[in-house]
Amino acid sequence: MLDPRCSGIPDARRPLDPGSSTIMRIVTTSLAAARSAAPSPSTRAYANRRWCGAANDEDEVMGKTFGSRPVMTAETHRTTLFEIFFDLVFVFALIRVTSFMSARPAPLTLAQGLLVLLLSWISWLVYSWLGNYVRIDVGLVRAGTTVAMAAVFLAALVIPDVWESTPRALESRLILVLAYIVVRVIHLALYTWAAGGDRRLRRTLRLYALSTALSWIPLVLGAVLGGTAQILLWTGALAIDLSGGVIASVLSGWPIRSTGHFTERHSLVVIIALGESLVSVGAGVGAEMIRRPVLLAALLTLAMTVCLYRLYSESAATAGEALRMEVGPRRGRLAANAYSIAHFPLIAGTIYLALGVEQVLARLAHDHHHDTAELRLDWTPAVALFGGVGLYLAGRATFLSLSTRSVTPGQILAPGAALLLIPAGRFLPGLVALGLLTAFLVVLVSYEALYRRRRGSGAAASGRPERTRARDGG
């Protein structure tokens, strides 16, 4: 019989089943159906191993907060529900960044939005590394992460105000900076506590803490000065912060205890960012009456999102296998470069795409002119729309080159092709521009599927093993 505490029903304290790593699978799990099902002996044995073996030892400390010891993760560790809950705060930050840029779309606004997006990305990123080393849904780590969530939420709340020139904006900038510092201090404190006697990890944390603390100086000065100085100082601060993490990875190394957890966390956050492009449809339309052009634009947006997801999912499978095959410090360096660094263009590209989609939908929903010239996009929405896709594709090519070390010609040329479409998007009506971009992505997905099929057939004919074909595939 199953242990009463291990009924096979996942909860917020237990890692997700490897086959149920998406939110949709969690939502569709029915408690009544699970209880009424009659598991076979093999199923009962698996459930006992899966839940009891992984969780019973931790249940004793699950209800404790202060004084509890950190629970280290294992190679089989997967994303927990508490981490997905943490991602909801990051979703709020993405929405606030998009709202800020859509209010006043301009080249300067795109640059400012990129800076606060990078700041939000680092806030999410450091806790994904922490969650790979230690269970962040247990005890003191859970309490600290909850406080960090509150700080990220406050920082995201004031994002639209931090670039204003009014006296009130100074308060918003200081709130954002102080909240960000709180997020980083809690992360470093929890990571150091969890490291215990691991001398190499504690050395890595000391190196990273030094660069992190140095980055706070220009961050605070930029918040106080505002204007052009704010842009320059915050750019320098984020560059110091990111380079510090890379230097610490090279000199000492970051441990990756579970490759499955690490790749899953980044895949989920890409899916979350892609969802922002769908949210932008509703934001652009607002409460206006839905008309046929709006419906067509919404369907085109969905098609683009599906294509972008398909392109990433094919890449993530081969990259995850490459990360799993690495060991020791090389695994940590690969994770830092291919995931921590190369995934930011993927996130930024989807947010720019969401901005462009929102501008197109807003024009279609609110402007009822029949003259197509008046429905054309301005340069900023056109750059966001096509440039966002180009940035996404460039990030994917970088991701593959750093992980699998194999990039197809189409993957190299695709970002440039998307950028070359920007002038066409500027002078075409918004709906036609969406159709052009959708057609480009459909052709790209079809080309890569055909390319993989041909390479797979060639590898099979030459007798190469399946693992080699998977590593070389696009």
Side-chain angles (χ1 to χ4, degrees):
M1 294 294 292
L2 288 175
D3 187 281
R5 296 173 298 171
C6 306
S7 60
I9 306 303
D11 61 22
R13 303 173 301 174
R14 298 183 179 119
L16 300 179
D17 188 275
S20 305
S21 59
T22 64
I23 301 176
M24 187 60 67
R25 291 291 300 274
I26 300 168
V27 173
T28 56
T29 301
S30 170
L31 180 60
R35 287 181 174 175
S36 61
S40 64
S42 60
T43 303
R44 291 195 298 268
Y46 170 78
N48 279 319
R49 290 195 305 269
R50 177 70 176 91
W51 299 115
C52 296
N56 281 354
D57 292 340
E58 299 165 12
D59 284 343
E60 298 179 1
V61 298
M62 202 64 77
K64 300 179 181 179
T65 300
F66 299 102
S68 61
R69 300 180 61 183
V71 179
M72 312 305 292
T73 59
E75 179 65 29
T76 57
H77 181 60
R78 291 296 183 268
T79 301
T80 63
L81 293 183
F82 184 75
E83 289 174 298
I84 296 177
F85 182 70
F86 182 89
D87 291 349
L88 294 180
V89 182
F90 184 65
V91 170
F92 179 69
L94 297 182
I95 293 174
R96 297 296 283 175
V97 172
T98 307
S99 300
F100 160 71
M101 293 189 295
S102 65
R104 291 168 299 179
L108 180 61
T109 306
L110 296 183
Q112 293 170 336
L114 185 66
L115 288 177
V116 291
L117 179 62
L118 180 55
L119 187 144
S120 301
W121 169 250
I122 295 175
S123 300
W124 177 89
L125 188 65
V126 294
Y127 284 88
S128 69
W129 280 85
L130 176 63
N132 188 266
Y133 187 78
V134 64
R135 292 285 297 267
I136 68 170
D137 60 339
V138 177
L140 183 62
V141 183
R142 178 177 57 185
T145 304
T146 303
V147 176
M149 277 196 291
V152 173
F153 183 77
L154 289 179
L157 194 63
V158 300
I159 281 176
D161 302 325
V162 297
W163 299 106
E164 300 288 343
S165 57
T166 61
R168 183 70 179 271
L170 174 61
E171 179 182 352
S172 297
R173 291 195 294 269
L174 290 177
I175 290 175
L176 184 143
V177 169
L178 292 178
Y180 179 71
I181 292 176
V182 168
V183 169
R184 303 305 305 281
V185 169
I186 292 175
H187 163 260
L188 289 172
L190 291 176
Y191 220 147
T192 303
W193 175 65
D198 190 335
R199 293 184 178 181
R200 186 172 71 89
L201 178 56
R202 293 180 74 90
R203 177 170 174 263
T204 304
L205 289 169
R206 285 195 298 270
L207 292 172
Y208 189 41
L210 177 61
S211 63
T212 300
L214 288 176
S215 70
W216 296 342
I217 298 175
L219 202 62
V220 174
L221 289 176
V224 173
L225 297 177
T228 304
Q230 178 186 355
I231 297 177
L232 297 177
L233 288 170
W234 281 17
T235 301
L238 293 173
I240 293 172
D241 205 349
L242 283 176
S243 61
V246 174
I247 293 173
S249 175
V250 173
L251 295 181
S252 186
W254 295 98
I256 294 293
R257 298 178 64 89
S258 171
T259 58
H261 170 272
F262 195 79
T263 57
E264 190 176 60
R265 293 292 288 127
H266 286 76
S267 296
L268 286 174
V269 81
V270 170
I271 293 174
I272 287 173
L274 288 174
E276 178 63 18
S277 62
L278 301 180
V279 173
S280 64
V281 173
V285 174
E288 292 292 322
M289 181 70 69
I290 303 298
R291 298 183 297 121
R292 290 179 182 177
V294 173
L295 291 175
L296 179 57
L299 290 176
L300 290 174
T301 302
L302 177 60
M304 286 191 298
T305 305
V306 171
C307 290
L308 292 176
Y309 168 75
R310 176 68 181 272
L311 292 171
Y312 174 79
S313 62
E314 296 290 346
S315 306
T318 54
E321 177 66 16
L323 181 63
R324 189 183 67 84
M325 297 297 292
E326 296 288 352
V327 294
R330 293 185 59 181
R331 175 185 285 186
R333 286 193 292 270
L334 175 59
N337 295 331
Y339 287 87
S340 298
I341 303 298
H343 267 61
F344 178 69
L346 294 169
I347 304 300
T350 57
I351 298 306
Y352 281 146
L353 172 63
L355 172 64
V357 167
E358 182 176 340
Q359 295 297 306
V360 171
L361 267 295
R363 181 69 63 87
L364 291 174
H366 299 281
D367 293 347
H368 303 288
H369 302 286
H370 298 286
D371 186 359
T372 57
E374 296 187 21
L375 295 178
R376 291 175 180 173
L377 292 176
D378 296 329
W379 275 112
T380 300
V383 169
L385 191 66
F386 291 89
V389 171
L391 184 59
Y392 181 95
L393 296 175
R396 186 181 69 118
T398 305
F399 172 48
L400 284 173
S401 66
L402 292 172
S403 56
T404 65
R405 299 176 179 84
S406 175
V407 185
T408 66
Q411 292 164 348
I412 297 175
L413 297 176
L419 295 180
L420 291 176
L421 294 176
I422 292 178
R426 165 64 180 87
F427 295 104
L428 288 174
L431 184 59
V432 179
L434 275 182
L436 176 63
L437 187 55
T438 304
F440 167 73
L441 290 174
V442 169
V443 170
L444 181 60
V445 170
S446 302
Y447 162 77
E448 293 201 4
L450 181 62
Y451 185 88
R452 284 191 301 271
R453 188 177 305 167
R454 288 180 176 178
R455 292 200 65 176
S457 301
S462 61
R464 296 173 64 191
E466 181 68 25
R467 178 173 294 179
T468 303
R469 296 201 309 270
R471 188 178 302 173
D472 292 342

